[in-house]
Amino acid sequence: MNKLIKKVTAVALSALMIGGCFAGCSSSTTDDTTAPSAEAAKKEYTIGICQLVQHDALDAATKGFMDKLTALGEENGVKFNFVEKNAAGDSATCATITNGFVGDGVDLIMANATPALQAAMTNTTEIPIVATSVTDFATALEIADWNGSTGINVTGTSDLAPLADQAAMFKDLCPDAKTIGILYCSGEPNSVYQAKVVTEELTKLGYEVKEFTAADSNDIASVTQTACDSCDALYIPTDNTMASATGTIEPITSAAKIPVIAGEEGICKGCGVATLSISYYSIGEGAGQMAYDILVNGQDPATMEIQFAKDLTNKYVADRAEALGITVPDTYEAIDMTPAE
């Protein structure tokens, strides 16, 4: 601009400045209408991932989330940096991890499992939170007037499978059973929710239902043994504490010859005979798409409806079914029990 001033007369400069003013105003109006926001125009984002505990289901959800975002980023020239933290099953550690993410100013928090979501929500009302592996968001967030979205800085994907259909599996696989035990951790709100619903469904089917709860992993062996002594079959919901302790549960249920219907495939592989399971990788992918829409496309998590798994499959563990003398319907798919490399 200084060179231009030296080359024009005062009159020409005045005219140029006036014309420039109108041109500048016109350009500004157009930009406000058509250009993306400064946030949407960013090409690099940092996402903090808080996973409650390491087990197959949650691991698959985290992988699906990262894979989906990475693929979308490569397609659209956007880079996503992931900071992964695992709380080793401790809710207090979830709080520490998510508080650290807030202090670091991450662009988004991915909360994998209910305690991770609750910790993240407590620590920030500003940073978007996308949760996955949460059974019932209304329960987790204590929202009484649930309408499908949270109304706050939270959205995500649920791991809820049709609980009535899971209860009906006992008719398929354990036709002679009379008493069903539900085994879960009393400290997981979504497990409490599932136990309530499944109890109602099993009662409708004519079963006597007993609940057996463990406060933490230290109680699981004794509680499982008590359940096996009192019941003909067991149901374990999508419970993170139980999922991390299938190595403790399986020897007890196998010795007692008690079949276990599980809420998801990881628990079924560890100690169950059958499940009606979702794909945790798929709900992780769904959460990844939601995170992309928030960060890059400017969507508001408060108004984004919680998403549910679409593909569900009845699966079974062939060796355990055979050992228990269970005839599995042809519509069930055998789980590949080959150890991961």
Side-chain angles (χ1 to χ4, degrees):
M1 179 63 78
N2 288 336
K3 291 181 179 180
L4 182 59
I5 293 172
K6 294 177 180 178
K7 292 180 180 180
V8 296
T9 65
V11 174
L13 176 59
S14 175
L16 179 61
M17 291 175 67
I18 293 170
C21 176
F22 284 113
C25 292
S26 174
S27 175
S28 175
T29 302
T30 302
D31 287 347
D32 288 344
T33 302
T34 61
S37 66
E39 184 68 17
K42 284 179 63 174
K43 292 297 183 181
E44 185 168 348
Y45 299 91
T46 298
I47 296 175
I49 299 175
C50 179
Q51 180 173 318
L52 173 63
V53 67
Q54 183 175 8
H55 62 68
D56 288 351
L58 299 191
D59 291 349
T62 292
K63 187 174 190 305
F65 177 83
M66 294 173 64
D67 285 354
K68 184 66 173 181
L69 275 172
T70 299
L72 288 169
E74 289 174 351
E75 290 171 8
N76 297 286
V78 181
K79 182 178 180 181
F80 295 100
N81 302 307
F82 302 105
V83 181
E84 290 183 80
K85 301 285 185 179
N86 194 296
D90 183 50
S91 297
T93 304
C94 287
T96 301
I97 290 170
T98 54
N99 186 54
F101 289 156
V102 173
D104 292 340
V106 299
D107 296 296
L108 181 141
I109 295 173
M110 191 278 249
N112 194 349
T114 298
L117 166 59
Q118 292 171 328
M121 182 193 67
T122 299
N123 279 312
T124 181
T125 59
E126 300 297 328
I127 297 174
I129 300 168
V130 175
T132 191
S133 312
V134 174
T135 303
D136 184 63
F137 278 75
T139 298
L141 301 176
E142 299 182 351
I143 299 175
D145 54 342
W146 180 252
N147 63 5
S149 58
T150 67
I152 56 176
N153 60 316
V154 175
T155 191
T157 56
S158 169
D159 63 357
L160 180 65
L163 297 177
D165 293 341
Q166 289 188 341
M169 293 172 68
F170 286 96
K171 290 293 186 184
D172 288 342
L173 304 173
C174 313
D176 298 327
K178 293 181 173 55
T179 303
I180 308 297
I182 302 181
L183 182 64
Y184 65 98
C185 175
S186 57
E188 296 195 28
N190 282 305
S191 297
V192 176
Y193 168 80
Q194 291 174 84
K196 178 179 180 295
V197 175
V198 173
T199 295
E200 292 171 353
E201 296 298 333
L202 288 171
T203 301
K204 291 177 187 176
L205 294 172
Y207 293 106
E208 179 185 0
V209 183
K210 297 181 179 181
E211 293 187 15
F212 300 87
T213 62
D216 55 40
S217 58
N218 295 321
D219 298 336
I220 290 176
S222 61
V223 171
T224 301
Q225 186 62 63
T226 301
C228 288
D229 292 341
S230 308
C231 302
D232 303 313
L234 299 180
Y235 174 77
I236 301 177
T238 54
D239 183 291
N240 292 295
T241 303
M242 297 300 163
S244 301
T246 57
T248 298
I249 298 168
E250 196 279 332
I252 299 170
T253 55
S254 291
K257 296 192 177 300
I258 298 295
V260 174
I261 304 298
E264 56 92 9
E265 185 173 343
I267 295 174
C268 189
K269 289 175 71 173
C271 65
V273 66
T275 184
L276 174 59
S277 185
I278 68 167
S279 165
Y280 276 79
Y281 184 85
S282 292
I283 64 169
E285 287 185 305
Q289 179 67 62
M290 296 175 94
Y292 185 87
D293 288 338
I294 291 166
L295 292 175
V296 180
N297 296 330
Q299 290 195 20
D300 181 1
T303 61
M304 297 172 71
E305 290 197 357
I306 301 304
Q307 296 182 6
F308 295 84
K310 296 180 176 64
D311 300 322
L312 297 116
T313 307
N314 285 104
K315 296 186 176 184
Y316 74 104
V317 177
D319 289 349
R320 291 197 192 109
E322 183 179 359
L324 292 165
I326 292 174
T327 301
V328 180
D330 293 340
T331 53
Y332 282 57
E333 175 184 313
I335 294 175
D336 182 4
M337 297 294 285
T338 304
E341 295 182 359

